[in-house]
Amino acid sequence: MPDVLSTVLPVFGIILGGFLTAHFRLLPEGTGKGLADFVFGIAMPALLFRTMATVGTSGVPALGLLFGFFIANALVWLLTTVITLRVLRRPLADAPAICMGACFGNTVMLGLPLGTAHFGEKGAAAIAVIVAMHAPVLWIAATIQQEWSLHEGKVDLAAKLRSLTYDLLTNPVVFGVLAGSLWRTTGLGIAEIPDRMISLIGQAGIPGSLFALGMSLTLFEVKTGARALVAITMLKLLVMPLTAWVISHHVLGLPPLGVGVVTLLAACPTGANAFLFASRYERAVGSVSGAVAIGTALSIISISALLLALGPPA
């Protein structure tokens, strides 16, 4: 238990610091957005580039990590769609936004810092494989389902695949992972001075992402759709990680590091991208907004329990 608390409490302590800073307006307006832009555009790509270039693989097959994580996503996505229609009695057009809330976790700003703190560099390498595909795959899945529901099944799949490819190639996080992996294959290594520079920039990514996350939480409010909010939060914090653990451990038989990483990322609370998607289509915005705020607050308990159940890293 002390080991888990030493991992979780500093992470959520920095998030709380960011939240209080924004709440009491201790920094100029717009600071949080600027910090988030730096983290996503510069610091995290630098961290992931150096991780992949120096550490390389985690020892867990990349396909195993991806299958474990995305099969769980697919199952929970399907379950959430059924719940939206049968339990919440909401139209099909609301399902994609609610599914994003239940499946799209904050894997970069929260999952990567927690995973690195708990599993070390090998864990970071495994996490990098998943986060590189996380946003593009779920965004395209949600967009296809949304367009299908709004246009009576007429979807330009070729256009959506082109959009996915473009997102993959232009996403800074994906670029950092791919560039680092390719650089490692050259066998050149990284010279001392550039390595030190990249390392210093990358080190800013972990605390910066947590502080930016805390600042962003002041933007999310609990407005409407309480039943959907409860459903999203339970699916994201409980059903999603349980499903990921069953798939990765019992179905795919991944090694302990793979099971831990897949399950931890699945347990991350609803991320801001889910809110952006809901806002874009003006569907279940209040429920998803509340899920980001409440889910992040509750995840200190759920993630602590999860790490305790998983046990110390192998």
Side-chain angles (χ1 to χ4, degrees):
M1 187 64 175
D3 291 339
V4 170
L5 293 179
S6 67
T7 296
V8 173
L9 291 183
V11 167
F12 283 91
I14 295 175
I15 294 173
L16 177 61
F19 176 82
L20 294 176
T21 297
H23 180 74
F24 291 108
R25 300 180 181 178
L26 301 180
L27 293 175
E29 186 177 354
T31 300
K33 183 181 184 306
L35 178 58
D37 289 342
F38 167 72
V39 166
F40 278 105
I42 304 295
M44 280 303 191
L47 173 65
L48 293 171
F49 171 84
R50 187 175 184 276
T51 297
M52 300 309 291
T54 58
V55 178
T57 64
S58 63
V60 183
L63 285 179
L65 292 167
L66 293 174
F67 278 131
F69 185 74
F70 286 109
I71 289 175
N73 271 268
L75 293 174
V76 174
W77 196 287
L78 178 60
L79 174 62
T80 305
T81 299
V82 173
I83 290 174
T84 300
L85 298 176
R86 303 298 183 187
V87 179
L88 301 178
R89 300 293 181 181
R90 299 181 69 144
L92 180 60
D94 284 357
I98 295 175
C99 287
M100 281 287 277
C103 295
F104 197 105
N106 203 336
T107 56
V108 176
M109 297 184 82
L110 184 57
L112 184 56
L114 275 170
T116 302
H118 190 70
F119 298 111
E121 287 189 329
K122 289 289 187 180
I127 291 169
V129 173
I130 295 174
V131 299
M133 300 296 294
H134 182 216
V137 170
L138 292 194
W139 261 93
I140 199 68
T143 302
I144 289 174
Q145 186 183 27
Q146 190 72 71
E147 296 295 328
W148 183 281
S149 68
L150 294 175
H151 300 101
E152 300 180 351
K154 297 178 181 178
V155 183
D156 188 348
L157 289 178
K160 301 306 176 186
L161 290 175
R162 287 195 298 270
S163 174
L164 172 61
T165 302
Y166 177 80
D167 288 344
L168 284 171
L169 294 177
T170 58
N171 187 300
V173 171
V174 177
F175 179 80
V177 174
L178 294 179
S181 300
L182 290 174
W183 187 261
R184 183 176 174 81
T185 63
T186 66
L188 297 176
I190 306 176
E192 181 179 355
I193 293 178
D195 182 54
R196 184 60 177 160
M197 292 172 60
I198 296 171
S199 176
L200 286 172
I201 294 173
Q203 287 172 20
I206 297 294
S209 68
L210 296 172
F211 204 84
L213 171 58
M215 296 186 76
S216 72
L217 291 179
T218 59
L219 303 175
F220 300 101
E221 300 176 349
V222 181
K223 297 178 180 178
T224 59
R227 293 179 67 222
L229 166 59
V230 171
I232 291 170
T233 304
M234 291 184 65
L235 286 163
K236 189 70 198 73
L237 298 184
L238 298 176
V239 178
M240 184 71 177
L242 178 60
T243 304
W245 179 78
V246 170
I247 295 296
S248 59
H249 180 64
H250 289 288
V251 178
L252 298 178
L254 296 182
L257 176 62
V259 174
V261 165
V262 169
T263 307
L264 174 62
L265 292 186
C268 288
T270 304
N273 267 294
F275 172 73
L276 294 177
F277 182 88
S279 299
R280 176 180 178 181
Y281 287 97
E282 298 183 347
R283 295 283 178 173
V285 178
S287 301
V288 177
S289 175
V292 175
I294 292 178
T296 301
L298 292 176
S299 66
I300 187 173
I301 299 173
S302 61
I303 289 179
S304 296
L306 170 66
L307 293 179
L308 188 62
L310 289 173

